[in-house]
Amino acid sequence: MATQRTTTKTPKTPAPVEPAPCEPCGGTGNVAITVRVGRKRRPVGQQDGLCLNCLGSGTDPDA
């Protein structure tokens, strides 16, 4: 008679972990940069800039 198995098999490969999105840019890789003009350096608007935390990848570098 065959013996009964008492343990279960473990999966061969674990499920891949998704990287967490970057906090400052929200996972987009772009952040708003204030544009300043004039001698008094008054703000006139915003433009997109590269996120310096994740360098545009959108993933959290510390995760």
Side-chain angles (χ1 to χ4, degrees):
M1 190 177 272
T3 60
Q4 291 284 336
R5 186 178 272 206
T6 58
T7 60
T8 59
K9 285 187 176 182
T10 58
K12 291 183 181 180
T13 57
V17 177
E18 292 186 22
C22 180
E23 284 294 320
C25 66
T28 61
N30 293 327
V31 292
I33 304 294
T34 303
V35 177
R36 298 178 182 272
V37 296
R39 197 168 77 190
K40 295 183 182 180
R41 306 294 294 161
R42 66 180 189 276
V44 293
Q46 292 185 338
Q47 68 182 15
D48 287 339
L50 183 68
C51 178
L52 296 178
N53 189 35
C54 65
L55 296 175
S57 67
T59 58
D60 191 12
D62 296 330

